[in-house]
Amino acid sequence: MTAIGLGMPAMPAPVLAERRPTRKIRVGSVEVGGDAPISVQSMTTTKTHDVNSTLQQIAELTAAGCDIVRVACPTQDDADALAAIARKSQIPVIADIHFQPKYVFAAIEAGCAAVRVNPGNIKRFDDQVKEIAAAAKDHGTSLRIGVNAGSLDKRLLEKYGKATPEALVESAVWEASLFEEHGFHDFKISVKHNDPVVMVRAYEMLSERGDWPLHLGVTEAGPAFQGTIKSATAFGALLSQGIGDTIRVSLSAPPVEEVKVGIQILQALNLRPRKLEIVSCPSCGRAQVDVYELAEKVTAGLEGMEVPLRVAVMGCVVNGPGEAREADLGVASGNGKGQIFVKGEVIKTVPERDIVETLIEEAMKIAETMEPEEGAAPVVTTP
Ligand code: SF4
């Protein structure tokens, strides 16, 4: 079957900046840094010692496109569960360790792909770097030095008065130097803050200090709406300078939502191939259909579609035909009717009540003409 273009670019899609060169590490099967694609992470919200629930949530995250998952490890029961979780998870598992250095060793022994350590929260952490580096090296485990504004080393809090970008960076660079002194280089770094301005500045400064792969995150970003905006703004500011090798959107919302937002941020910046994209107008006094309802129904009807389809849903003839013509598929509405465009040509005009159904039918037809490797089979539901 002949594949049609569907807007698949022959050349790589343009990006705002070249990736800043970083050294590449492995988090299990996923490469982070260097020329590796920017990965999307999330963290489970289940009790880690509840192995089945944790694996169930990891499966949901995997299905949503999560590349790497992190699990908390606050108790011995959680540490005991790590081996089973790491073995059965389809994506690499990172153990998140605060306070108790013994769990760092337990996670490495359990076969976790990586361990996140928070130096500010682990007492006498610096004294144990040699042993941690040796154990991680023996097991092929990478680390994340995860500096966090809320748990900054007390020395630095005293020196800077609060978690400034300089304080976050000094903490991270200090800990990195301790590992490097012991010949250990398989780590990435994060310097998270809940204020995107502080966070962006910290990562900019850190990126000038070394070639460590960087894990981006706005910590405690808030509920879904606010957290999405904070993360998109901060990640956008950094990724548009080529800074960032793996991202985690933190939301007070189910972790699958974090993954969806992270993927959308990367797609918006052409750092990941775009899949379904709905181009819909905001509507205005000229609209001749209910654009919100139309866009929502089309989005719902095409949910799960894996092909890179651009669908324009436009409310009137001012910009409608232009946008609809530029998209793979589109509708320009007016006078109770919708002009349906496929690849720039008007293929039919349908009554308003048939617009959604027609767009979904045409989307299915286009998707079927694609070669399998261009995208997984679409899952299309009717609204
Ligand atoms: S396409 Fe028409 S209805 Fe939509 S925002 Fe533009 S002018 Fe308004």
Side-chain angles (χ1 to χ4, degrees), residues 73-75 96-104 116-125 128 150-151 154:
C73 185
T75 69
D96 189 67
I97 311 293
H98 299 258
F99 306 114
Q100 297 263 25
K102 67 179 179 181
Y103 297 146
V104 175
R116 179 274 172 109
V117 292
N118 180 341
N121 267 348
I122 300 182
K123 282 200 190 77
R124 296 192 307 280
F125 179 83
Q128 306 187 55
S151 49
K154 284 192 181 52

PDB file of all heavy atoms in Angstrom, residues 73-75 96-104 116-125 128 150-151 154:
ATOM      1  N   CYS A  73      10.868   5.265  48.400  1.00  0.00           N
ATOM      2  CA  CYS A  73      11.344   4.156  49.214  1.00  0.00           C
ATOM      3  C   CYS A  73      11.587   4.631  50.656  1.00  0.00           C
ATOM      4  O   CYS A  73      12.728   4.714  51.107  1.00  0.00           O
ATOM      5  CB  CYS A  73      12.635   3.605  48.591  1.00  0.00           C
ATOM      6  SG  CYS A  73      13.251   2.146  49.432  1.00  0.00           S
ATOM      7  N   PRO A  74      10.488   4.940  51.373  1.00  0.00           N
ATOM      8  CA  PRO A  74      10.686   5.475  52.719  1.00  0.00           C
ATOM      9  C   PRO A  74      10.847   4.420  53.818  1.00  0.00           C
ATOM     10  O   PRO A  74      11.228   4.765  54.938  1.00  0.00           O
ATOM     11  CB  PRO A  74       9.409   6.290  52.956  1.00  0.00           C
ATOM     12  CG  PRO A  74       8.392   5.672  52.063  1.00  0.00           C
ATOM     13  CD  PRO A  74       9.104   5.038  50.912  1.00  0.00           C
ATOM     14  N   THR A  75      10.536   3.157  53.562  1.00  0.00           N
ATOM     15  CA  THR A  75      10.581   2.150  54.639  1.00  0.00           C
ATOM     16  C   THR A  75      11.304   0.889  54.151  1.00  0.00           C
ATOM     17  O   THR A  75      11.506   0.692  52.948  1.00  0.00           O
ATOM     18  CB  THR A  75       9.158   1.720  55.066  1.00  0.00           C
ATOM     19  OG1 THR A  75       8.574   0.958  53.985  1.00  0.00           O
ATOM     20  CG2 THR A  75       8.261   2.902  55.395  1.00  0.00           C
ATOM     21  N   ASP A  96      13.771   6.314  44.772  1.00  0.00           N
ATOM     22  CA  ASP A  96      13.931   7.680  45.276  1.00  0.00           C
ATOM     23  C   ASP A  96      14.269   7.605  46.765  1.00  0.00           C
ATOM     24  O   ASP A  96      13.437   7.182  47.571  1.00  0.00           O
ATOM     25  CB  ASP A  96      12.603   8.424  45.066  1.00  0.00           C
ATOM     26  CG  ASP A  96      12.737   9.896  45.348  1.00  0.00           C
ATOM     27  OD1 ASP A  96      13.451  10.566  44.595  1.00  0.00           O
ATOM     28  OD2 ASP A  96      12.124  10.380  46.323  1.00  0.00           O
ATOM     29  N   ILE A  97      15.492   8.007  47.108  1.00  0.00           N
ATOM     30  CA  ILE A  97      15.952   7.798  48.486  1.00  0.00           C
ATOM     31  C   ILE A  97      16.227   9.122  49.186  1.00  0.00           C
ATOM     32  O   ILE A  97      16.992   9.959  48.702  1.00  0.00           O
ATOM     33  CB  ILE A  97      17.258   6.943  48.512  1.00  0.00           C
ATOM     34  CG1 ILE A  97      17.113   5.691  47.638  1.00  0.00           C
ATOM     35  CG2 ILE A  97      17.623   6.602  49.946  1.00  0.00           C
ATOM     36  CD1 ILE A  97      16.134   4.661  48.102  1.00  0.00           C
ATOM     37  N   HIS A  98      15.605   9.263  50.345  1.00  0.00           N
ATOM     38  CA  HIS A  98      15.899  10.383  51.240  1.00  0.00           C
ATOM     39  C   HIS A  98      16.244   9.787  52.605  1.00  0.00           C
ATOM     40  O   HIS A  98      15.795   8.685  52.937  1.00  0.00           O
ATOM     41  CB  HIS A  98      14.667  11.281  51.416  1.00  0.00           C
ATOM     42  CG  HIS A  98      14.196  11.901  50.130  1.00  0.00           C
ATOM     43  ND1 HIS A  98      14.458  13.195  49.778  1.00  0.00           N
ATOM     44  CD2 HIS A  98      13.477  11.378  49.110  1.00  0.00           C
ATOM     45  CE1 HIS A  98      13.924  13.455  48.609  1.00  0.00           C
ATOM     46  NE2 HIS A  98      13.320  12.359  48.172  1.00  0.00           N
ATOM     47  N   PHE A  99      16.957  10.485  53.398  1.00  0.00           N
ATOM     48  CA  PHE A  99      17.202  10.190  54.816  1.00  0.00           C
ATOM     49  C   PHE A  99      18.069   8.967  55.107  1.00  0.00           C
ATOM     50  O   PHE A  99      18.994   9.051  55.879  1.00  0.00           O
ATOM     51  CB  PHE A  99      15.878  10.069  55.607  1.00  0.00           C
ATOM     52  CG  PHE A  99      15.002  11.276  55.432  1.00  0.00           C
ATOM     53  CD1 PHE A  99      13.775  11.179  54.784  1.00  0.00           C
ATOM     54  CD2 PHE A  99      15.418  12.529  55.857  1.00  0.00           C
ATOM     55  CE1 PHE A  99      12.975  12.310  54.594  1.00  0.00           C
ATOM     56  CE2 PHE A  99      14.632  13.666  55.661  1.00  0.00           C
ATOM     57  CZ  PHE A  99      13.413  13.547  55.044  1.00  0.00           C
ATOM     58  N   GLN A 100      17.757   7.816  54.525  1.00  0.00           N
ATOM     59  CA  GLN A 100      18.408   6.575  54.970  1.00  0.00           C
ATOM     60  C   GLN A 100      19.371   6.047  53.912  1.00  0.00           C
ATOM     61  O   GLN A 100      18.949   5.436  52.933  1.00  0.00           O
ATOM     62  CB  GLN A 100      17.342   5.494  55.206  1.00  0.00           C
ATOM     63  CG  GLN A 100      16.375   5.823  56.295  1.00  0.00           C
ATOM     64  CD  GLN A 100      16.762   5.185  57.611  1.00  0.00           C
ATOM     65  OE1 GLN A 100      17.940   4.885  57.842  1.00  0.00           O
ATOM     66  NE2 GLN A 100      15.795   4.968  58.460  1.00  0.00           N
ATOM     67  N   PRO A 101      20.669   6.206  54.148  1.00  0.00           N
ATOM     68  CA  PRO A 101      21.624   5.724  53.139  1.00  0.00           C
ATOM     69  C   PRO A 101      21.536   4.223  52.898  1.00  0.00           C
ATOM     70  O   PRO A 101      21.853   3.751  51.804  1.00  0.00           O
ATOM     71  CB  PRO A 101      22.993   6.110  53.721  1.00  0.00           C
ATOM     72  CG  PRO A 101      22.753   6.603  55.089  1.00  0.00           C
ATOM     73  CD  PRO A 101      21.312   6.891  55.271  1.00  0.00           C
ATOM     74  N   LYS A 102      21.065   3.485  53.907  1.00  0.00           N
ATOM     75  CA  LYS A 102      21.017   2.024  53.707  1.00  0.00           C
ATOM     76  C   LYS A 102      20.090   1.656  52.535  1.00  0.00           C
ATOM     77  O   LYS A 102      20.286   0.645  51.864  1.00  0.00           O
ATOM     78  CB  LYS A 102      20.593   1.296  54.980  1.00  0.00           C
ATOM     79  CG  LYS A 102      19.176   1.554  55.421  1.00  0.00           C
ATOM     80  CD  LYS A 102      18.839   0.768  56.689  1.00  0.00           C
ATOM     81  CE  LYS A 102      17.421   1.062  57.137  1.00  0.00           C
ATOM     82  NZ  LYS A 102      17.015   0.376  58.344  1.00  0.00           N
ATOM     83  N   TYR A 103      19.092   2.497  52.296  1.00  0.00           N
ATOM     84  CA  TYR A 103      18.189   2.192  51.178  1.00  0.00           C
ATOM     85  C   TYR A 103      18.832   2.460  49.816  1.00  0.00           C
ATOM     86  O   TYR A 103      18.395   1.928  48.804  1.00  0.00           O
ATOM     87  CB  TYR A 103      16.881   2.974  51.302  1.00  0.00           C
ATOM     88  CG  TYR A 103      16.069   2.620  52.532  1.00  0.00           C
ATOM     89  CD1 TYR A 103      15.307   3.584  53.185  1.00  0.00           C
ATOM     90  CD2 TYR A 103      16.074   1.328  53.050  1.00  0.00           C
ATOM     91  CE1 TYR A 103      14.568   3.274  54.312  1.00  0.00           C
ATOM     92  CE2 TYR A 103      15.343   1.007  54.179  1.00  0.00           C
ATOM     93  CZ  TYR A 103      14.599   1.983  54.814  1.00  0.00           C
ATOM     94  OH  TYR A 103      13.872   1.669  55.926  1.00  0.00           O
ATOM     95  N   VAL A 104      19.838   3.322  49.813  1.00  0.00           N
ATOM     96  CA  VAL A 104      20.568   3.535  48.551  1.00  0.00           C
ATOM     97  C   VAL A 104      21.209   2.201  48.146  1.00  0.00           C
ATOM     98  O   VAL A 104      21.078   1.749  46.999  1.00  0.00           O
ATOM     99  CB  VAL A 104      21.660   4.619  48.711  1.00  0.00           C
ATOM    100  CG1 VAL A 104      22.477   4.739  47.420  1.00  0.00           C
ATOM    101  CG2 VAL A 104      21.034   5.966  49.088  1.00  0.00           C
ATOM    102  N   ARG A 116      17.870   7.823  42.890  1.00  0.00           N
ATOM    103  CA  ARG A 116      17.911   9.261  43.094  1.00  0.00           C
ATOM    104  C   ARG A 116      18.319   9.485  44.555  1.00  0.00           C
ATOM    105  O   ARG A 116      17.685   8.961  45.470  1.00  0.00           O
ATOM    106  CB  ARG A 116      16.539   9.883  42.829  1.00  0.00           C
ATOM    107  CG  ARG A 116      16.475  11.397  43.038  1.00  0.00           C
ATOM    108  CD  ARG A 116      16.203  11.769  44.469  1.00  0.00           C
ATOM    109  NE  ARG A 116      16.327  13.198  44.696  1.00  0.00           N
ATOM    110  CZ  ARG A 116      15.290  13.999  44.940  1.00  0.00           C
ATOM    111  NH1 ARG A 116      14.081  13.513  44.998  1.00  0.00           N
ATOM    112  NH2 ARG A 116      15.493  15.272  45.164  1.00  0.00           N
ATOM    113  N   VAL A 117      19.360  10.245  44.740  1.00  0.00           N
ATOM    114  CA  VAL A 117      19.776  10.575  46.096  1.00  0.00           C
ATOM    115  C   VAL A 117      19.609  12.073  46.304  1.00  0.00           C
ATOM    116  O   VAL A 117      19.838  12.868  45.400  1.00  0.00           O
ATOM    117  CB  VAL A 117      21.250  10.161  46.356  1.00  0.00           C
ATOM    118  CG1 VAL A 117      21.389   8.652  46.350  1.00  0.00           C
ATOM    119  CG2 VAL A 117      22.223  10.782  45.359  1.00  0.00           C
ATOM    120  N   ASN A 118      19.164  12.421  47.475  1.00  0.00           N
ATOM    121  CA  ASN A 118      19.013  13.832  47.834  1.00  0.00           C
ATOM    122  C   ASN A 118      20.031  14.134  48.928  1.00  0.00           C
ATOM    123  O   ASN A 118      19.798  13.843  50.093  1.00  0.00           O
ATOM    124  CB  ASN A 118      17.591  14.087  48.325  1.00  0.00           C
ATOM    125  CG  ASN A 118      17.386  15.545  48.711  1.00  0.00           C
ATOM    126  OD1 ASN A 118      18.349  16.280  48.951  1.00  0.00           O
ATOM    127  ND2 ASN A 118      16.141  15.956  48.781  1.00  0.00           N
ATOM    128  N   PRO A 119      21.172  14.690  48.539  1.00  0.00           N
ATOM    129  CA  PRO A 119      22.250  14.877  49.514  1.00  0.00           C
ATOM    130  C   PRO A 119      21.810  15.705  50.718  1.00  0.00           C
ATOM    131  O   PRO A 119      22.274  15.464  51.840  1.00  0.00           O
ATOM    132  CB  PRO A 119      23.328  15.631  48.720  1.00  0.00           C
ATOM    133  CG  PRO A 119      22.974  15.479  47.289  1.00  0.00           C
ATOM    134  CD  PRO A 119      21.503  15.259  47.229  1.00  0.00           C
ATOM    135  N   GLY A 120      20.920  16.672  50.505  1.00  0.00           N
ATOM    136  CA  GLY A 120      20.487  17.536  51.601  1.00  0.00           C
ATOM    137  C   GLY A 120      19.717  16.786  52.663  1.00  0.00           C
ATOM    138  O   GLY A 120      19.600  17.233  53.805  1.00  0.00           O
ATOM    139  N   ASN A 121      19.176  15.646  52.319  1.00  0.00           N
ATOM    140  CA  ASN A 121      18.343  14.891  53.253  1.00  0.00           C
ATOM    141  C   ASN A 121      19.027  13.653  53.812  1.00  0.00           C
ATOM    142  O   ASN A 121      18.435  12.955  54.632  1.00  0.00           O
ATOM    143  CB  ASN A 121      17.055  14.426  52.539  1.00  0.00           C
ATOM    144  CG  ASN A 121      15.925  15.418  52.726  1.00  0.00           C
ATOM    145  OD1 ASN A 121      16.026  16.316  53.539  1.00  0.00           O
ATOM    146  ND2 ASN A 121      14.861  15.232  51.974  1.00  0.00           N
ATOM    147  N   ILE A 122      20.200  13.337  53.338  1.00  0.00           N
ATOM    148  CA  ILE A 122      20.863  12.128  53.823  1.00  0.00           C
ATOM    149  C   ILE A 122      22.012  12.546  54.731  1.00  0.00           C
ATOM    150  O   ILE A 122      22.958  13.204  54.296  1.00  0.00           O
ATOM    151  CB  ILE A 122      21.374  11.249  52.658  1.00  0.00           C
ATOM    152  CG1 ILE A 122      20.192  10.829  51.780  1.00  0.00           C
ATOM    153  CG2 ILE A 122      22.113  10.030  53.186  1.00  0.00           C
ATOM    154  CD1 ILE A 122      20.549   9.920  50.620  1.00  0.00           C
ATOM    155  N   LYS A 123      21.890  12.190  56.001  1.00  0.00           N
ATOM    156  CA  LYS A 123      22.906  12.600  56.970  1.00  0.00           C
ATOM    157  C   LYS A 123      24.243  11.953  56.630  1.00  0.00           C
ATOM    158  O   LYS A 123      24.314  10.805  56.260  1.00  0.00           O
ATOM    159  CB  LYS A 123      22.484  12.159  58.381  1.00  0.00           C
ATOM    160  CG  LYS A 123      21.443  13.047  59.004  1.00  0.00           C
ATOM    161  CD  LYS A 123      21.434  12.867  60.513  1.00  0.00           C
ATOM    162  CE  LYS A 123      20.239  13.574  61.123  1.00  0.00           C
ATOM    163  NZ  LYS A 123      18.990  12.836  60.929  1.00  0.00           N
ATOM    164  N   ARG A 124      25.287  12.725  56.778  1.00  0.00           N
ATOM    165  CA  ARG A 124      26.658  12.256  56.514  1.00  0.00           C
ATOM    166  C   ARG A 124      26.770  11.612  55.124  1.00  0.00           C
ATOM    167  O   ARG A 124      27.506  10.663  54.928  1.00  0.00           O
ATOM    168  CB  ARG A 124      27.126  11.279  57.606  1.00  0.00           C
ATOM    169  CG  ARG A 124      27.231  11.951  58.987  1.00  0.00           C
ATOM    170  CD  ARG A 124      27.963  11.073  59.977  1.00  0.00           C
ATOM    171  NE  ARG A 124      27.420   9.742  60.079  1.00  0.00           N
ATOM    172  CZ  ARG A 124      26.346   9.439  60.785  1.00  0.00           C
ATOM    173  NH1 ARG A 124      25.709  10.372  61.467  1.00  0.00           N
ATOM    174  NH2 ARG A 124      25.915   8.204  60.824  1.00  0.00           N
ATOM    175  N   PHE A 125      25.957  12.139  54.202  1.00  0.00           N
ATOM    176  CA  PHE A 125      25.962  11.596  52.843  1.00  0.00           C
ATOM    177  C   PHE A 125      27.362  11.638  52.235  1.00  0.00           C
ATOM    178  O   PHE A 125      27.825  10.676  51.629  1.00  0.00           O
ATOM    179  CB  PHE A 125      24.983  12.407  51.967  1.00  0.00           C
ATOM    180  CG  PHE A 125      24.926  11.952  50.537  1.00  0.00           C
ATOM    181  CD1 PHE A 125      24.134  10.889  50.164  1.00  0.00           C
ATOM    182  CD2 PHE A 125      25.687  12.589  49.560  1.00  0.00           C
ATOM    183  CE1 PHE A 125      24.083  10.457  48.842  1.00  0.00           C
ATOM    184  CE2 PHE A 125      25.651  12.169  48.243  1.00  0.00           C
ATOM    185  CZ  PHE A 125      24.848  11.106  47.890  1.00  0.00           C
ATOM    186  N   GLN A 128      29.775   8.901  52.620  1.00  0.00           N
ATOM    187  CA  GLN A 128      29.449   7.583  52.060  1.00  0.00           C
ATOM    188  C   GLN A 128      29.523   7.544  50.540  1.00  0.00           C
ATOM    189  O   GLN A 128      29.184   6.536  49.926  1.00  0.00           O
ATOM    190  CB  GLN A 128      28.048   7.179  52.511  1.00  0.00           C
ATOM    191  CG  GLN A 128      27.934   7.259  54.014  1.00  0.00           C
ATOM    192  CD  GLN A 128      26.636   6.717  54.513  1.00  0.00           C
ATOM    193  OE1 GLN A 128      26.298   5.574  54.220  1.00  0.00           O
ATOM    194  NE2 GLN A 128      25.921   7.522  55.242  1.00  0.00           N
ATOM    195  N   GLY A 150      13.555  22.615  48.807  1.00  0.00           N
ATOM    196  CA  GLY A 150      12.930  22.352  50.099  1.00  0.00           C
ATOM    197  C   GLY A 150      13.815  21.572  51.052  1.00  0.00           C
ATOM    198  O   GLY A 150      13.469  21.428  52.235  1.00  0.00           O
ATOM    199  N   SER A 151      14.905  21.044  50.581  1.00  0.00           N
ATOM    200  CA  SER A 151      15.758  20.235  51.452  1.00  0.00           C
ATOM    201  C   SER A 151      17.228  20.528  51.149  1.00  0.00           C
ATOM    202  O   SER A 151      18.050  19.625  51.073  1.00  0.00           O
ATOM    203  CB  SER A 151      15.457  18.747  51.246  1.00  0.00           C
ATOM    204  OG  SER A 151      15.461  18.428  49.863  1.00  0.00           O
ATOM    205  N   LYS A 154      22.059  22.425  54.869  1.00  0.00           N
ATOM    206  CA  LYS A 154      21.958  23.528  55.843  1.00  0.00           C
ATOM    207  C   LYS A 154      23.102  24.535  55.709  1.00  0.00           C
ATOM    208  O   LYS A 154      22.920  25.734  55.871  1.00  0.00           O
ATOM    209  CB  LYS A 154      21.955  22.956  57.268  1.00  0.00           C
ATOM    210  CG  LYS A 154      20.622  22.348  57.630  1.00  0.00           C
ATOM    211  CD  LYS A 154      20.523  22.058  59.107  1.00  0.00           C
ATOM    212  CE  LYS A 154      19.179  21.427  59.454  1.00  0.00           C
ATOM    213  NZ  LYS A 154      18.869  20.252  58.600  1.00  0.00           N
TER     214      LYS A 154
END
